[in-house]
Amino acid sequence: MSDSPAPERPLEQDVFDEWPDAVRALFDGLSLASKTGFTASLLTVDANGHVRTSLLSAGELYAPDSRTLCIALWPQARAARVVAQNGRAALSFVYGEAFYQVQLQMTPLASVAGDDSGLVYLVGSIDTAEAQSVRYARLTSGITFELQGEGKAVLDRWERQIEHLKQAAVAAGR
């Protein structure tokens, strides 16, 4: 038997079923201009077993409570069709120097009166989730973007989308 200390685990893994406070603040629908550039990947698996990815911004994600995430998708997005078929998706992103992957059970949300965006609204409950980081390297970003040209129009659209997600979540009792 050795007296040497146990080796350090290079991988830090935190499992959760409620949004950590900092992540919930990221998805609170507020101060969207300061969250421009954040990108999350919504992963789905279609009927042929192909993994499909939809990239989402903070203007398409809203957490009405600690265990839920509402998502706005364009109706032509493959993820919208796949989620309608199987009700499952995974959201992955980098935030706060960690890689997050959240397994979601998804259901559709009803349309909101006065919303002519054509967007599909979904609500997901956290099934399982984890955040991973390592001591020897610091994650500084994942997929990021810059708004160009019509940036103000995009931010205005995001504000409307988040408002519609909020209304749909309330109507669904979330």
Side-chain angles (χ1 to χ4, degrees):
M1 187 154 187
S2 170
D3 289 334
S4 63
E8 286 190 45
R9 291 185 53 201
L11 176 65
E12 299 275 326
Q13 191 171 20
D14 295 318
V15 177
F16 59 92
D17 61 2
E18 291 189 28
W19 295 115
D21 290 342
V23 175
R24 184 151 181 224
L26 177 64
F27 301 143
D28 65 6
L30 303 174
S31 304
L32 293 174
S34 70
K35 298 170 185 173
T36 298
F38 170 82
T39 307
S41 298
L42 185 70
L43 305 160
T44 56
V45 178
D46 69 18
N48 295 324
H50 297 128
V51 176
R52 304 295 181 180
T53 302
S54 293
L55 299 178
L56 303 174
S57 68
E60 296 158 321
L61 302 165
Y62 170 65
D65 60 51
S66 64
R67 295 178 184 259
T68 306
L69 186 66
C70 297
I71 299 172
L73 293 173
W74 294 106
Q76 66 271 23
R78 289 180 283 202
R81 291 188 304 272
V82 172
V83 169
Q85 293 168 355
N86 68 19
R88 305 275 311 156
L91 189 77
S92 63
F93 56 94
V94 172
Y95 187 71
E97 302 180 3
F99 172 76
Y100 288 82
Q101 188 163 63
V102 182
Q103 303 293 323
L104 297 164
Q105 293 189 2
M106 309 289 299
T107 57
L109 284 170
S111 305
V112 175
D115 176 14
D116 60 357
S117 68
L119 293 170
V120 173
Y121 300 121
L122 305 166
V123 62
S125 298
I126 297 175
D127 183 17
T128 63
E130 61 185 41
Q132 297 178 5
S133 61
V134 293
R135 291 191 179 114
Y136 58 83
R138 188 171 63 86
L139 290 174
T140 58
S141 70
I143 300 169
T144 59
F145 69 93
E146 290 180 1
L147 290 176
Q148 299 192 2
E150 301 294 320
K152 172 76 170 98
V154 171
L155 284 171
D156 290 345
R157 186 187 69 209
W158 286 359
E159 294 284 345
R160 287 189 306 275
Q161 287 172 188
I162 293 295
E163 187 55 38
H164 292 147
L165 280 173
K166 289 177 180 180
Q167 292 173 17
V170 167
R174 302 287 180 154

PDB file of all heavy atoms in Angstrom, residues 106-122:
ATOM      1  N   MET A 106     -38.536  17.285 -24.687  1.00  0.00           N
ATOM      2  CA  MET A 106     -39.159  18.450 -25.311  1.00  0.00           C
ATOM      3  C   MET A 106     -40.624  18.198 -25.667  1.00  0.00           C
ATOM      4  O   MET A 106     -40.991  17.098 -26.056  1.00  0.00           O
ATOM      5  CB  MET A 106     -38.409  18.814 -26.599  1.00  0.00           C
ATOM      6  CG  MET A 106     -36.907  18.968 -26.487  1.00  0.00           C
ATOM      7  SD  MET A 106     -36.372  20.427 -25.610  1.00  0.00           S
ATOM      8  CE  MET A 106     -37.051  21.710 -26.613  1.00  0.00           C
ATOM      9  N   THR A 107     -41.414  19.266 -25.551  1.00  0.00           N
ATOM     10  CA  THR A 107     -42.796  19.256 -26.033  1.00  0.00           C
ATOM     11  C   THR A 107     -43.070  20.609 -26.688  1.00  0.00           C
ATOM     12  O   THR A 107     -42.430  21.613 -26.359  1.00  0.00           O
ATOM     13  CB  THR A 107     -43.817  19.023 -24.891  1.00  0.00           C
ATOM     14  OG1 THR A 107     -43.631  20.027 -23.895  1.00  0.00           O
ATOM     15  CG2 THR A 107     -43.652  17.649 -24.275  1.00  0.00           C
ATOM     16  N   PRO A 108     -44.036  20.663 -27.606  1.00  0.00           N
ATOM     17  CA  PRO A 108     -44.370  21.943 -28.251  1.00  0.00           C
ATOM     18  C   PRO A 108     -45.103  22.864 -27.287  1.00  0.00           C
ATOM     19  O   PRO A 108     -45.799  22.413 -26.381  1.00  0.00           O
ATOM     20  CB  PRO A 108     -45.290  21.549 -29.401  1.00  0.00           C
ATOM     21  CG  PRO A 108     -45.458  20.078 -29.363  1.00  0.00           C
ATOM     22  CD  PRO A 108     -44.760  19.537 -28.174  1.00  0.00           C
ATOM     23  N   LEU A 109     -44.920  24.152 -27.497  1.00  0.00           N
ATOM     24  CA  LEU A 109     -45.691  25.178 -26.798  1.00  0.00           C
ATOM     25  C   LEU A 109     -46.717  25.740 -27.768  1.00  0.00           C
ATOM     26  O   LEU A 109     -46.472  25.791 -28.981  1.00  0.00           O
ATOM     27  CB  LEU A 109     -44.780  26.316 -26.327  1.00  0.00           C
ATOM     28  CG  LEU A 109     -43.910  26.048 -25.109  1.00  0.00           C
ATOM     29  CD1 LEU A 109     -42.892  27.167 -24.927  1.00  0.00           C
ATOM     30  CD2 LEU A 109     -44.760  25.910 -23.869  1.00  0.00           C
ATOM     31  N   ALA A 110     -47.830  26.185 -27.255  1.00  0.00           N
ATOM     32  CA  ALA A 110     -48.864  26.782 -28.091  1.00  0.00           C
ATOM     33  C   ALA A 110     -48.383  28.120 -28.648  1.00  0.00           C
ATOM     34  O   ALA A 110     -47.533  28.784 -28.051  1.00  0.00           O
ATOM     35  CB  ALA A 110     -50.142  26.985 -27.271  1.00  0.00           C
ATOM     36  N   SER A 111     -48.949  28.500 -29.765  1.00  0.00           N
ATOM     37  CA  SER A 111     -48.651  29.807 -30.361  1.00  0.00           C
ATOM     38  C   SER A 111     -49.118  30.909 -29.419  1.00  0.00           C
ATOM     39  O   SER A 111     -49.987  30.714 -28.584  1.00  0.00           O
ATOM     40  CB  SER A 111     -49.380  29.969 -31.687  1.00  0.00           C
ATOM     41  OG  SER A 111     -49.079  28.916 -32.537  1.00  0.00           O
ATOM     42  N   VAL A 112     -48.537  32.072 -29.607  1.00  0.00           N
ATOM     43  CA  VAL A 112     -48.882  33.232 -28.802  1.00  0.00           C
ATOM     44  C   VAL A 112     -49.715  34.176 -29.661  1.00  0.00           C
ATOM     45  O   VAL A 112     -49.374  34.433 -30.823  1.00  0.00           O
ATOM     46  CB  VAL A 112     -47.591  33.941 -28.324  1.00  0.00           C
ATOM     47  CG1 VAL A 112     -47.909  35.209 -27.591  1.00  0.00           C
ATOM     48  CG2 VAL A 112     -46.762  33.007 -27.457  1.00  0.00           C
ATOM     49  N   ALA A 113     -50.794  34.691 -29.104  1.00  0.00           N
ATOM     50  CA  ALA A 113     -51.648  35.631 -29.840  1.00  0.00           C
ATOM     51  C   ALA A 113     -50.818  36.835 -30.289  1.00  0.00           C
ATOM     52  O   ALA A 113     -50.014  37.364 -29.530  1.00  0.00           O
ATOM     53  CB  ALA A 113     -52.804  36.093 -28.954  1.00  0.00           C
ATOM     54  N   GLY A 114     -51.002  37.228 -31.531  1.00  0.00           N
ATOM     55  CA  GLY A 114     -50.302  38.395 -32.065  1.00  0.00           C
ATOM     56  C   GLY A 114     -48.906  38.103 -32.580  1.00  0.00           C
ATOM     57  O   GLY A 114     -48.229  38.996 -33.069  1.00  0.00           O
ATOM     58  N   ASP A 115     -48.449  36.860 -32.464  1.00  0.00           N
ATOM     59  CA  ASP A 115     -47.116  36.499 -32.943  1.00  0.00           C
ATOM     60  C   ASP A 115     -47.223  36.073 -34.402  1.00  0.00           C
ATOM     61  O   ASP A 115     -47.818  35.053 -34.714  1.00  0.00           O
ATOM     62  CB  ASP A 115     -46.544  35.359 -32.092  1.00  0.00           C
ATOM     63  CG  ASP A 115     -45.196  34.873 -32.585  1.00  0.00           C
ATOM     64  OD1 ASP A 115     -44.555  35.562 -33.402  1.00  0.00           O
ATOM     65  OD2 ASP A 115     -44.776  33.786 -32.151  1.00  0.00           O
ATOM     66  N   ASP A 116     -46.635  36.867 -35.291  1.00  0.00           N
ATOM     67  CA  ASP A 116     -46.663  36.519 -36.705  1.00  0.00           C
ATOM     68  C   ASP A 116     -45.273  36.115 -37.206  1.00  0.00           C
ATOM     69  O   ASP A 116     -45.005  36.138 -38.393  1.00  0.00           O
ATOM     70  CB  ASP A 116     -47.226  37.680 -37.525  1.00  0.00           C
ATOM     71  CG  ASP A 116     -46.394  38.941 -37.390  1.00  0.00           C
ATOM     72  OD1 ASP A 116     -45.406  38.945 -36.621  1.00  0.00           O
ATOM     73  OD2 ASP A 116     -46.725  39.946 -38.058  1.00  0.00           O
ATOM     74  N   SER A 117     -44.392  35.730 -36.289  1.00  0.00           N
ATOM     75  CA  SER A 117     -43.017  35.386 -36.654  1.00  0.00           C
ATOM     76  C   SER A 117     -42.916  34.080 -37.420  1.00  0.00           C
ATOM     77  O   SER A 117     -41.959  33.871 -38.159  1.00  0.00           O
ATOM     78  CB  SER A 117     -42.149  35.290 -35.397  1.00  0.00           C
ATOM     79  OG  SER A 117     -42.541  34.153 -34.615  1.00  0.00           O
ATOM     80  N   GLY A 118     -43.871  33.173 -37.206  1.00  0.00           N
ATOM     81  CA  GLY A 118     -43.795  31.858 -37.825  1.00  0.00           C
ATOM     82  C   GLY A 118     -42.914  30.885 -37.071  1.00  0.00           C
ATOM     83  O   GLY A 118     -42.727  29.750 -37.495  1.00  0.00           O
ATOM     84  N   LEU A 119     -42.344  31.318 -35.952  1.00  0.00           N
ATOM     85  CA  LEU A 119     -41.454  30.453 -35.186  1.00  0.00           C
ATOM     86  C   LEU A 119     -42.216  29.325 -34.494  1.00  0.00           C
ATOM     87  O   LEU A 119     -43.392  29.452 -34.174  1.00  0.00           O
ATOM     88  CB  LEU A 119     -40.700  31.268 -34.135  1.00  0.00           C
ATOM     89  CG  LEU A 119     -39.698  32.281 -34.687  1.00  0.00           C
ATOM     90  CD1 LEU A 119     -39.192  33.186 -33.575  1.00  0.00           C
ATOM     91  CD2 LEU A 119     -38.538  31.574 -35.368  1.00  0.00           C
ATOM     92  N   VAL A 120     -41.515  28.234 -34.266  1.00  0.00           N
ATOM     93  CA  VAL A 120     -42.017  27.095 -33.505  1.00  0.00           C
ATOM     94  C   VAL A 120     -41.447  27.231 -32.102  1.00  0.00           C
ATOM     95  O   VAL A 120     -40.240  27.430 -31.929  1.00  0.00           O
ATOM     96  CB  VAL A 120     -41.541  25.763 -34.142  1.00  0.00           C
ATOM     97  CG1 VAL A 120     -41.894  24.581 -33.276  1.00  0.00           C
ATOM     98  CG2 VAL A 120     -42.092  25.627 -35.546  1.00  0.00           C
ATOM     99  N   TYR A 121     -42.297  27.140 -31.092  1.00  0.00           N
ATOM    100  CA  TYR A 121     -41.863  27.255 -29.706  1.00  0.00           C
ATOM    101  C   TYR A 121     -41.935  25.890 -29.040  1.00  0.00           C
ATOM    102  O   TYR A 121     -42.930  25.171 -29.163  1.00  0.00           O
ATOM    103  CB  TYR A 121     -42.725  28.264 -28.938  1.00  0.00           C
ATOM    104  CG  TYR A 121     -42.665  29.652 -29.527  1.00  0.00           C
ATOM    105  CD1 TYR A 121     -43.808  30.288 -29.970  1.00  0.00           C
ATOM    106  CD2 TYR A 121     -41.449  30.314 -29.657  1.00  0.00           C
ATOM    107  CE1 TYR A 121     -43.751  31.564 -30.506  1.00  0.00           C
ATOM    108  CE2 TYR A 121     -41.385  31.577 -30.201  1.00  0.00           C
ATOM    109  CZ  TYR A 121     -42.534  32.197 -30.620  1.00  0.00           C
ATOM    110  OH  TYR A 121     -42.476  33.454 -31.167  1.00  0.00           O
ATOM    111  N   LEU A 122     -40.867  25.551 -28.337  1.00  0.00           N
ATOM    112  CA  LEU A 122     -40.762  24.274 -27.643  1.00  0.00           C
ATOM    113  C   LEU A 122     -40.367  24.519 -26.206  1.00  0.00           C
ATOM    114  O   LEU A 122     -39.720  25.527 -25.895  1.00  0.00           O
ATOM    115  CB  LEU A 122     -39.689  23.407 -28.300  1.00  0.00           C
ATOM    116  CG  LEU A 122     -39.838  23.139 -29.796  1.00  0.00           C
ATOM    117  CD1 LEU A 122     -38.548  22.584 -30.366  1.00  0.00           C
ATOM    118  CD2 LEU A 122     -40.993  22.185 -30.040  1.00  0.00           C
TER     119      LEU A 122
END
